[in-house]
Amino acid sequence: MIKFALVGVTGFAVDVSIFTLLSLGLSLQIEWARAIAFLIAAFTTWVGNRHFTFDTASANKPVLECQKSLISAGFAGAINIGVFKGVALYSDDILFVYFAFICGVLAGMVLNYLLSAFWVFKTARI
């Protein structure tokens, strides 16, 4: 669980960095910036979980595992982005947008862990 959390923190750092670059640095609409950042972070966490958390590199086919991971991330991401968008509607203040960002990440985290542990990396012992 600690390894999953550490990978998650790394994914969060990638997520928020890409989101900030795209939304503030490149003035991309926040919904697009959020979706792009999420996809990059999802791939980052798959790599981290594959090689660090669940260590299944030799047990599964990496392409199939990556596909499962991205499907799982899609489900968790739908919750993540839905909560983000719902909370972000309350204010356009930049600090509130980051509050919405964090709420979305937390909402998707539990589903992401369960799908990762019991479907994506099913040969792993947790």
Side-chain angles (χ1 to χ4, degrees):
M1 199 64 161
I2 291 172
K3 287 181 177 182
F4 187 82
L6 290 172
V7 170
V9 167
T10 302
F12 178 80
V14 169
D15 204 354
V16 76
S17 297
I18 299 296
F19 174 75
T20 300
L21 172 70
L22 296 174
S23 64
L24 296 179
L26 299 177
S27 299
L28 194 63
Q29 190 175 29
I30 64 168
E31 293 84 3
W32 283 106
R34 186 69 197 94
I36 293 166
F38 174 80
L39 286 172
I40 294 168
F43 182 76
T44 301
T45 57
W46 168 70
V47 171
N49 282 324
R50 177 176 172 75
H51 295 288
F52 180 66
T53 306
F54 298 105
D55 195 23
T56 62
S58 63
N60 293 324
K61 297 177 182 174
V63 173
L64 178 61
E65 192 179 82
C66 184
Q67 289 171 340
K68 287 179 167 182
S69 183
L70 292 176
I71 290 167
S72 296
F75 285 120
I79 292 170
N80 182 328
I81 292 172
V83 169
F84 166 75
K85 184 64 178 168
V87 174
L89 290 174
Y90 288 101
S91 174
D92 60 357
D93 182 300
I94 191 65
L95 291 179
F96 198 83
V97 169
Y98 281 96
F99 173 72
F101 185 96
I102 291 167
C103 288
V105 168
L106 293 175
M109 185 175 61
V110 171
L111 178 60
N112 190 24
Y113 177 78
L114 292 173
L115 289 172
S116 292
F118 297 108
W119 184 50
V120 178
F121 306 102
K122 67 181 177 184
T123 61
R125 291 175 41 191
I126 56 171

